[in-house]
Amino acid sequence: YVLHDANADNLRALDQFLAMNQARSTGQLHAALVRIQGLPSAHVVAADASGTAYYANIQVVPHVTDALRERCETGTPEQQKGFVVLDASRSTCRWGSDPDAVRPGLFGPSRLPTLTRTDFVANSNESPWLTNPDAPLTGYPTVLGDIETPRELRTRLGLSMIQERLSEFTLSTMQDMFLNNRN
């Protein structure tokens, strides 16, 4: 086995958080995420003063395509325990790279899921797939999460709570939803 960590030399994270904090719109936030690509692992959910809601999973993601997994993944799910385990004895099983990635071995931001909406985006630390059920995200590598599978209870409850309040969403109803015991 060979252990390889996509974040082993990631010193961009602090720059990433600073740039995110300086963004004044979802467009500026997106530009900062693409330019630095320094988040170790994060679902970014934001809204700006114009009413634009934004979701991004632009982070440091090892370039492990679905084809690479199919060709090189080894071990049983119990042995992998949530990690992608590739056959290290074959050079053809090394991570790939995208031209727009900030460094070799990563997926580039153009291959990572984002969604911009005027109603809502949400994520409960699960796959990006149902960030907004009216606009399911697909086409991203499965190393980021699955699609068309049942969501965890937390995700389902969160989406239900949002959809129940969309017609009367105010600061007050959001605070009530956020501070209640239902989650």
Side-chain angles (χ1 to χ4, degrees):
Y1 292 97
V2 175
L3 180 63
H4 193 77
D5 181 358
N7 280 292
D9 62 352
N10 180 11
L11 301 176
R12 299 179 312 281
L14 290 176
D15 290 334
Q16 185 70 81
F17 285 113
L18 177 62
M20 290 168 63
N21 287 335
Q22 292 173 336
R24 295 293 171 245
S25 69
T26 56
Q28 288 177 6
L29 176 61
H30 177 77
L33 290 168
V34 168
R35 183 178 75 253
I36 300 169
Q37 195 180 0
L39 292 177
S41 175
H43 297 277
V44 175
V45 176
D48 63 22
S50 73
T52 303
Y54 173 73
Y55 166 82
N57 198 337
I58 299 174
Q59 58 179 310
V60 175
V61 181
H63 195 284
V64 178
T65 64
D66 294 350
L68 180 64
R69 286 182 82 172
E70 187 174 314
R71 189 175 71 250
C72 296
E73 200 160 28
T74 184
T76 66
E78 293 79 28
Q79 291 169 326
Q80 293 172 6
K81 305 226 186 275
F83 293 94
V84 174
V85 180
L86 304 175
D87 182 350
S89 68
R90 296 186 287 156
S91 62
T92 58
C93 294
R94 290 186 181 144
W95 293 351
S97 197
D98 283 338
D100 64 327
V102 296
R103 70 175 188 78
L106 302 179
F107 277 112
S110 65
R111 299 268 304 266
L112 302 174
T114 64
L115 184 64
T116 302
R117 303 275 302 178
T118 56
D119 51 358
F120 78 92
V121 296
N123 191 280
S124 297
N125 294 328
E126 203 172 349
S127 160
W129 175 47
L130 289 182
T131 295
N132 184 309
D134 291 333
L137 290 168
T138 60
Y140 53 84
T142 57
V143 71
L144 287 170
D146 54 8
I147 62 169
E148 298 180 6
T149 58
R151 299 294 88 188
E152 298 290 330
L153 291 176
R154 180 175 177 227
T155 297
R156 292 189 303 198
L157 177 61
L159 291 172
S160 292
M161 291 170 69
I162 291 168
Q163 289 170 325
E164 289 167 6
R165 289 166 178 78
L166 269 181
S167 63
E168 56 178 286
F169 209 79
T170 65
L171 179 59
S172 177
T173 59
M174 184 193 71
Q175 288 170 332
D176 291 344
M177 183 177 73
F178 184 75
L179 297 173
N180 76 25
N181 255 357
R182 207 167 155 200
N183 198 359

